[in-house]
Amino acid sequence: MAKCGVSARDRDALVDMLKAVFLLGEDSPEAASLLGVSATDLATALKERTVTVRRETTIVQRTPEEARAARDALAKELYSRVFAWVVALTNEATSVETWEASCGLLDIFGFERFEANSLEQLLINYANERLLREFNAQVFEAATREYAAEGVPVGDLTFQDNAPLLKTLEHPRDGVFALLNSECVRRDGKDENLLKQLLKKHERAPFVGARRGPLPGVFVPRVSVRSTSAERADALSVFGVSHFAADVSYRINAFVEKNRDRLPNEICALAATSDAPFVASLFADIDDEAPQTSQQKRSQRYVAASFAESLGKLTQLLDATRQSFVRCVKPNERMAAAAFDGVVVLEQLRCMGMLELIEARARGYAGRMDHAAFASRYGLLLEDKVSDVRRYSTKTTKKLAAEFLALLQRHVPGVEAVAVGKTKVFLKRPAVDALETARETRMKADVLLALGEAVAARDIEALELTLRIADELRLSDTPEAARARQEVKVEGRY
């Protein structure tokens, strides 16, 4: 951090803040010292809150549970502000006045489904839905635009669109997050009221049977007839969402409080007046003398709304870039080396939409290459059948590409379902397989012939080169290759 221009004092202060985060969880008085406030004032701020009604202020004692929540909120806020400080500092240290291009790396959330799921899991899975939409736009919609631009038939390239589910979650008036935000604005906002509003606006019946893709709305999970009374009562505080990957049940408990995630004013004011300059600077934006108006409360950005806004900015940034995707898959759940669990891997591929992509690719065009590359790759299949076959790879016109394709279809069986576009040739999987098989067969025949000629000419240099090619084509065990090694006595090198 010294190379980023951070002074020794600020580096020490940063370490102290991380220590304070841990010590707050242990109710250690040392935390107050690190924060630059008195232990008594910190304890009072955590245990008491002030309520002002018509200019009359009353001190209300927090319950032990509320005091712990206030303590945890302080720890999270402190860590969040320190993290933001580090990010801002890093951005400033690595910024340049002008730049031509940049390369970014985005590590996205993984889909989460636990025995008990709450607001955190809903936000993570929402991010997955948004980024899946981005992936679909890049892969499927971009392919559709390319087909249209090239003038080739699109065919069946449908995919499971999660736009209706995203509308359920993020509609500005009636979406799940908007309803959650509205409940947080209410002074008496409760989780129970939120669940009622969610079901009133979006409830649908649970889906029965095999389901493919996301579904809009929310549902009340079915309860088994064998469930206990406690389990049936618990089910009344749960709502389900049909995500792309799977159905997930979310417990409504603490949704409102988690979304507020507010740091009590008393703690904010105390941190802003800290004797530690670093702490005071982190909370310098706190204005204890300006309580929120009703309008400010209505426009306040709570956790879910802020998360959605941040995610929206991220997707806008992604839309302005050229994207490449790397999909990471765990081979097993035991984190063991050299252990491949096919069921685990297949489930991950399904959840991330890769199986649907493969199916769509199979329905669409599995291969595509420009006219010259197409003629260059498969021209050897026509070398002994068509004179001047190289002209098809040196001149690139749609007419010549169509003519070259017709010649291939005449001499190579199975080359069907191929479309010639304005600049590219598009091939479905059977055509790709037929051409690649024919090409490999022809190359192997040519190499075996070249081996025989090299042996007859006793040309060691040509033989070594041809044997290397034979190895690449998996011909090293053929009688021709064995005879070639024996004839020129190079067995120890191959």
Side-chain angles (χ1 to χ4, degrees):
M1 295 190 71
K3 294 182 179 180
C4 291
V6 182
S7 66
R9 184 183 66 177
D10 282 346
R11 294 200 300 273
D12 292 340
L14 175 61
V15 174
D16 287 343
M17 292 306 97
L18 297 178
K19 289 170 59 179
V21 170
F22 287 107
L23 292 173
L24 279 169
E26 299 177 358
D27 293 325
S28 171
E30 186 182 352
S33 176
L34 293 171
L35 292 174
V37 300
S38 75
T40 301
D41 290 344
L42 179 59
T44 300
L46 293 175
K47 295 178 182 178
E48 297 178 354
R49 62 186 178 91
T50 57
V51 178
T52 302
V53 179
R54 295 179 181 178
R55 298 183 181 180
E56 292 186 7
T57 301
T58 304
I59 297 178
V60 179
Q61 295 294 320
R62 290 192 176 91
T63 65
E65 183 178 351
E66 291 173 338
R68 286 192 294 270
R71 177 204 62 192
D72 294 345
L74 172 59
K76 289 192 291 183
E77 184 68 19
L78 180 61
Y79 186 88
S80 175
R81 289 177 181 253
V82 169
F83 186 83
W85 179 80
V86 172
V87 170
L89 190 70
T90 304
N91 287 340
E92 182 180 353
T94 57
S95 64
V96 293
E97 293 184 0
T98 60
W99 53 274
E100 296 180 359
S102 65
C103 179
L105 179 65
L106 172 64
D107 183 11
I108 69 172
F109 300 102
F111 180 76
E112 290 192 352
R113 180 177 57 173
F114 303 124
E115 185 175 340
N117 303 284
S118 190
L119 179 62
E120 299 90 339
Q121 283 68 50
L122 179 60
L123 294 179
I124 288 173
N125 293 337
Y126 162 59
N128 268 274
E129 295 286 355
R130 282 292 298 268
L131 294 172
L132 175 67
R133 176 69 180 167
E134 190 73 18
F135 177 75
N136 286 341
Q138 288 292 318
V139 176
F140 293 106
E141 296 177 8
T144 301
R145 290 194 298 269
E146 182 183 26
Y147 296 157
E150 288 284 335
V152 301
V154 175
D156 182 11
L157 198 62
T158 57
F159 61 93
Q160 298 296 327
D161 190 359
N162 64 350
L165 173 58
L166 288 173
K167 182 179 180 180
T168 296
L169 295 173
E170 60 188 14
H171 190 279
R173 185 180 67 255
D174 297 328
V176 172
F177 298 142
L179 295 176
L180 175 57
N181 195 75
S182 298
E183 196 62 30
C184 289
V185 171
R186 296 166 56 92
R187 183 178 300 176
D188 59 345
K190 297 179 181 179
D191 298 320
E192 296 81 359
N193 295 338
L194 172 62
L195 183 57
K196 290 179 182 178
Q197 289 299 315
L198 290 178
L199 297 179
K200 180 181 178 181
K201 295 287 186 179
H202 301 292
E203 184 178 10
R204 61 169 174 78
F207 192 86
V208 179
R211 177 182 65 83
R212 290 189 61 191
L215 295 172
V218 302
F219 62 91
V220 177
R222 293 180 180 274
V223 180
S224 171
V225 293
R226 298 180 180 179
S227 300
T228 64
S229 57
E231 290 173 336
R232 287 194 292 270
D234 184 60
L236 297 177
S237 62
V238 173
F239 69 96
V241 176
S242 294
H243 291 286
F244 177 88
D247 288 352
V248 181
S249 296
Y250 297 97
R251 294 182 182 276
I252 201 68
N253 307 71
F255 254 61
V256 172
E257 192 58 37
K258 286 181 178 180
N259 191 53
R260 284 175 175 152
D261 194 35
R262 57 188 176 191
L263 190 62
N265 294 335
E266 299 81 7
I267 300 177
C268 291
L270 182 63
T273 58
S274 168
D275 292 334
F278 186 75
V279 177
S281 66
L282 291 178
F283 291 85
D285 60 326
I286 301 299
D287 186 359
D288 186 44
E289 300 300 324
Q292 284 188 318
T293 65
S294 298
Q295 180 61 33
Q296 287 173 325
K297 288 183 179 179
R298 285 192 293 271
S299 61
Q300 182 174 344
R301 309 298 289 178
Y302 294 105
V303 170
S306 297
F307 187 88
E309 182 179 11
S310 176
L311 191 59
K313 292 179 180 178
L314 173 62
T315 53
Q316 287 179 1
L317 176 62
L318 292 176
D319 289 339
T321 65
R322 185 176 63 188
Q323 302 170 20
S324 297
F325 296 89
V326 177
R327 296 292 192 165
C328 301
V329 179
K330 294 187 296 184
N332 60 78
E333 294 288 3
R334 297 177 285 112
M335 294 183 288
F340 184 87
D341 189 328
V343 175
V344 172
V345 171
L346 190 63
E347 177 65 13
Q348 293 176 78
L349 293 175
R350 186 187 64 80
C351 287
M352 64 178 61
M354 292 306 297
L355 296 185
E356 185 185 20
L357 172 61
I358 293 170
E359 292 174 359
R361 284 284 192 180
R363 295 192 303 268
Y365 297 101
R368 65 197 69 185
M369 56 187 78
D370 60 47
H371 296 160
F374 179 69
S376 176
R377 184 168 184 81
Y378 301 117
L380 62 87
L381 298 176
L382 301 175
E383 285 181 349
D384 55 353
K385 299 177 178 66
V386 179
S387 60
D388 194 21
V389 71
R390 293 185 178 180
R391 72 188 183 93
Y392 293 106
S393 60
T394 56
K395 297 181 180 180
T396 56
T397 66
K398 182 177 180 179
K399 180 180 179 181
L400 283 174
E403 183 179 322
F404 179 78
L405 173 61
L407 291 170
L408 280 176
Q409 291 174 328
R410 183 186 308 167
H411 296 287
V412 181
V415 185
E416 306 297 335
V418 181
V420 178
K422 295 177 181 178
T423 64
K424 296 179 181 179
V425 178
F426 297 83
L427 306 95
K428 293 204 171 184
R429 175 53 59 190
V432 173
D433 293 341
L435 285 170
E436 288 298 313
T437 299
R439 181 175 181 270
E440 184 175 354
T441 300
R442 175 59 186 267
M443 290 179 67
K444 287 181 177 179
D446 288 348
V447 169
L448 293 176
L449 178 63
L451 279 174
E453 293 175 348
V455 168
R458 305 201 56 86
D459 186 339
I460 302 300
E461 184 176 345
L463 180 61
E464 290 179 351
L465 176 61
T466 309
L467 280 172
R468 290 194 186 98
I469 299 174
D471 288 344
E472 294 178 2
L473 293 174
R474 301 182 298 280
L475 295 173
S476 55
D477 294 333
T478 60
E480 291 86 350
R483 185 163 52 253
R485 293 193 189 91
Q486 184 178 4
E487 288 292 332
V488 295
K489 298 180 180 180
V490 292
E491 296 92 337
R493 298 177 60 181
Y494 296 98

